[in-house]
Amino acid sequence: MAKIISIHSFRGGTGKSNVTANLATVIARTGCRVGIVDTDIQSPGIHVPFGLDESKVKYTLNDYLWGRCAIEAATYDVSSVFTSRQKQNWFNKNPGKIYLIPSSIKTGEISRILREGYDARLLNDGFRNLMQRLKLDYLFIDTHPGINEETLLSAIISDVLVVILRPDKQDYQGTAVTIDVARKLDVQKMLLVVNKALPSLNPEALKQQVQATYSVPVAGILPVCEEMFHLASSDIFCLRYPEHPWTNVVNGIAKQLIDNHKPLNPSFSLGRMRS
Ligand SMILES: Nc1ncnc2c1ncn2[C@@H]1O[C@H](COP(=O)(O)OP(=O)(O)OP(=O)(O)O)[C@@H](O)[C@H]1O
Ligand SMILES: [Mg+2]
C-alpha cells in the first residue's frame, strides 16, 4: 500500500509546492512510483516546476471532482524531468515514475469550485483508486495554506503530515494552530520542516528550538537561497543543483520519509545525483 504524505503550512508561500515537487522527485529517483495531487484548487501551482504543458492538459482534478472523468484521466506522467539528465549520463540506473494530478488554472473552473464546492469524500476515493491503479509507492498531497476541508481530509488520511514553516512569528503562531488541529484529528505522524532559514542561523539550535516549541520532530532546516529565486519554480531544484545545501537537506528529509516504509535499494544513495 502506498504511503500518503501531505505537505501543509498554515500560511502561504512557505515553499510547500517546491518542497513537495523536490521530495517527490528525489524519492522517485530511488526507483519508486510516486503520485502528486495538487489539492490547492484555489491557487494551483505544482505543475509549474514539472514543466507540464498546459495545452496538453485535457482533464484536471476539478473534472474528476465534478464527475466528468476518472481520476486516471487527470493524471500526467511528468517523469520526463529525468530524461534530459539521463541523456547527460547523470544517472547510473533507471529512475522511477512521477505522476501528477494538476488542478485547473482556468479562472472559470476555479471560481466554480469556490462557488459550488464539491464532495470532499470523492478526493479520498480518488486517492485510493490512484494508488491502486498506478501501483504507487508514495502519494504526495500538495495543499492550500490554512485550515480547510481538503487540509483536514488530507491530514486524516496521511501516513505523514509534513508541516512547513518559516522562521517568522506569524508562521510560528499559525503552525501551533495546525499542530493542535492535527493532534485532535489523531494524525499518525507529523514532521516539521523549516524553510527559508537564513544561512547565518545555526540550524541545529533552530531545530532544537522549534522541536521544543511544538514537541514535534523537525525533519530538516532548509536555507533561504538565491538560486531558488533565480530558478523561480522553472525546474526541480534538486535536479538543477544536485550539490546545493538545500538539496542536501531535502535528501535528508526524503530519507526520513523512506525509512520505516520500504528498504532502500542498497546500491542507491540519495546524496549522489551524478553517476
Ligand atoms: N528556500 C528558499 N529560498 C528562496 N526562495 C524560496 C525558497 N523556498 C521557496 N522559495 C520561493 O518561494 C516562493 C513560494 O514557493 P512555493 O510556491 O513552493 O510555496 P507554497 O507554500 O506552495 O505557496 P502557496 O501557499 O502560494 O501555495 C517561490 O517563488 C519559491 O521559488
Ligand atoms: Mg503551493
Side-chain angles (χ1 to χ4, degrees):
M1 191 58 165
K3 187 172 190 173
I4 303 180
I5 300 164
S6 289
I7 313 285
H8 183 63
S9 67
F10 188 81
R11 300 187 68 236
T14 53
K16 289 180 296 302
S17 299
N18 276 281
V19 170
T20 308
N22 279 277
L23 283 173
T25 302
V26 163
I27 290 180
R29 255 207 73 216
T30 68
C32 291
R33 298 172 67 81
V34 178
I36 306 170
V37 185
D38 191 351
T39 64
D40 190 352
I41 299 171
Q42 301 170 40
S43 47
I46 197 167
H47 57 280
V48 178
F50 286 105
L52 184 66
D53 181 353
E54 280 136 31
S55 66
K56 296 205 175 110
V57 173
K58 187 169 179 207
Y59 292 114
T60 60
L61 182 66
N62 306 51
D63 295 297
Y64 165 71
L65 293 172
W66 288 322
R68 288 179 184 160
C69 69
I71 190 92
E72 301 98 289
T75 303
Y76 299 84
D77 185 339
V78 291
S79 321
S80 56
V81 288
F82 294 126
T83 316
S84 57
R85 280 90 179 181
Q86 271 175 305
K87 279 189 197 135
Q88 290 163 23
N89 223 6
W90 277 25
F91 302 137
N92 52 11
K93 76 185 275 285
N94 283 339
K97 287 278 183 193
I98 311 172
Y99 298 100
L100 176 66
I101 293 86
S103 274
S104 174
I105 51 149
K106 292 183 183 148
T107 325
E109 300 199 342
I110 296 172
S111 53
R112 178 180 163 191
I113 219 139
L114 294 178
R115 204 172 50 241
E116 297 175 17
Y118 62 90
D119 183 353
R121 284 169 303 178
L122 272 176
L123 264 186
N124 191 19
D125 297 343
F127 295 159
R128 304 281 156 201
N129 284 336
L130 205 63
M131 293 190 298
Q132 212 173 32
R133 291 181 196 160
L134 294 178
K135 298 187 173 57
L136 296 181
D137 298 303
Y138 292 87
L139 180 69
F140 279 86
I141 305 175
D142 186 20
T143 63
H144 187 67
I147 309 282
N148 59 28
E149 211 172 347
E150 299 95 68
T151 315
L152 297 180
L153 177 85
S154 62
I156 292 167
I157 62 168
S158 294
D159 295 288
V160 185
L161 173 66
V162 176
V163 181
I164 305 189
L165 67 153
R166 288 162 296 202
D168 177 291
K169 272 198 173 171
Q170 294 187 56
D171 282 28
Y172 284 156
Q173 199 173 50
T175 301
V177 176
T178 305
I179 290 173
D180 191 37
V181 170
R183 288 208 169 107
K184 287 188 177 128
L185 293 173
D186 267 340
V187 167
Q188 291 199 27
K189 185 176 166 119
M190 250 188 292
L191 289 175
L192 291 174
V193 169
V194 178
N195 188 24
K196 305 192 182 183
L198 273 178
S200 57
L201 290 172
N202 177 339
E204 194 47 44
L206 183 57
K207 180 177 172 174
Q208 295 307 329
Q209 184 205 331
V210 174
Q211 279 181 173
T213 306
Y214 300 109
S215 304
V216 174
V218 172
I221 306 277
L222 292 159
V224 69
C225 54
E226 223 178 300
E227 292 87 340
M228 187 68 92
F229 283 111
H230 285 303
L231 197 60
S233 304
S234 63
D235 196 359
I236 305 297
F237 188 94
C238 292
L239 295 179
R240 185 71 76 91
Y241 299 101
E243 313 288 345
H244 194 281
W246 198 90
T247 301
N248 293 340
V249 178
V250 168
N251 285 336
I253 300 168
K255 189 169 183 319
Q256 292 170 62
L257 293 172
I258 292 171
D259 286 352
N260 306 319
H261 179 55
K262 193 174 156 200
L264 262 179
N265 178 340
S267 65
F268 176 78
S269 156
L270 275 170
R272 304 303 311 160
M273 301 297 272
R274 292 174 203 272
S275 57

